[in-house]
Amino acid sequence: KENTAGEVWTAQWQQDQNNFTFTHVSQKNASLWTATGGTAEQDKLTGGFNAQIITAHKYIYSSSAQDLPPMYNPDGGANYKPGTGTADNATFDDPASKNYFDAVYKGSLLNTNERVFHSTEDLRELLQRDARYGVDYDGNGQFTAGDVNEAVKVVVNDSGAFSITNPNESSKSPNLTAGGPQLSF
C-alpha cells in the first residue's frame, strides 16, 4: 500500500455493509501535514463524527536559539513533583512537573502547532515528546490515556542519525491512570 502520511481522508461508516469507506480530501494547501478543521463532534448531516486525528507534526528550523519548556522526563531529568488542587485546576511549584501534567492529563501536546527547533538536541527532544504525548494513537480524535506511549526513545546515534525505539516496557511515569498523574490534596 502506498504511503498516505500527511494526507486527509474521511471515514464513513456503512451500516448495511458493516465497514468503513474512505475518501481522500483534497486540500487548498498541499503542505498541510495533518488533518485541519476537524473536531470530535457529531456531524449533523451524516450522523457520523468529525475528528481531527494527529499522526504527524511539522518541525521548523530556526537560526535563533529556542527555549523548550522544561518537562519531567521518565528517563531522567527533574523528578515529578505532584501538584495540589483538582485535576482540572492543578497548581505546581515545579514548571517541569506542570508541563508534564498538562501533556499527560490534558493532552497539551496533541495539537497541530508547528514545533520550532534550533539544535539537534531540540529536535530530538521535540520528536520524543511528540511520539510519547502528541500522537492520537487510538485514532478517536481526542487525547486519552491510550495515547500515552512513554516507552518511545529518540536518540542521536554514533553516526549522527536519529534512532527511534519503542521497546515493550511499562511506563516509569508517576501514577498514569485514567485520572492522570498524581496530585496531592
Side-chain angles (χ1 to χ4, degrees), residues 77-101:
N79 290 327
Y80 178 75
K81 296 174 183 69
T84 57
T86 65
D88 291 328
N89 195 16
T91 58
F92 291 85
D93 293 330
D94 172 32
S97 294
K98 179 192 182 326
N99 291 332
Y100 175 80
F101 179 84

Side-chain angles (χ1 to χ4, degrees), residues 52-54 57 71 87-88 92 97-113 115 129-138 140-150 176-181:
Q52 181 167 333
I53 309 299
I54 299 176
H57 299 279
M71 188 165 153
D88 291 328
F92 291 85
S97 294
K98 179 192 182 326
N99 291 332
Y100 175 80
F101 179 84
D102 288 345
V104 174
Y105 182 74
K106 297 180 179 180
S108 66
L109 293 180
L110 193 64
N111 61 60
T112 59
N113 299 341
R115 277 67 164 143
R129 287 182 187 188
D130 286 334
R132 291 177 173 184
Y133 314 108
V135 175
D136 185 5
Y137 285 107
D138 61 10
N140 68 356
Q142 55 190 332
F143 187 80
T144 61
D147 294 318
V148 175
N149 189 9
E150 290 193 325
L176 262 182
T177 63

Side-chain angles (χ1 to χ4, degrees), residues 10-89:
T10 59
Q12 181 71 39
W13 178 252
Q14 304 298 318
Q15 185 70 35
D16 57 337
Q17 298 173 21
N18 200 30
N19 66 7
F20 284 97
T21 58
F22 299 91
T23 308
H24 181 258
V25 178
S26 178
Q27 297 191 70
K28 296 176 188 172
N29 182 348
S31 70
L32 289 175
W33 70 98
T34 187
T36 58
T39 59
E41 62 188 24
Q42 189 160 10
D43 184 327
K44 293 174 180 52
L45 296 176
T46 66
F49 286 89
N50 292 324
Q52 181 167 333
I53 309 299
I54 299 176
T55 59
H57 299 279
K58 187 173 186 177
Y59 301 90
I60 305 290
Y61 171 77
S62 171
S63 59
S64 304
Q66 297 299 303
D67 185 20
L68 298 182
M71 188 165 153
Y72 169 84
N73 186 335
D75 296 323
N79 290 327
Y80 178 75
K81 296 174 183 69
T84 57
T86 65
D88 291 328
N89 195 16

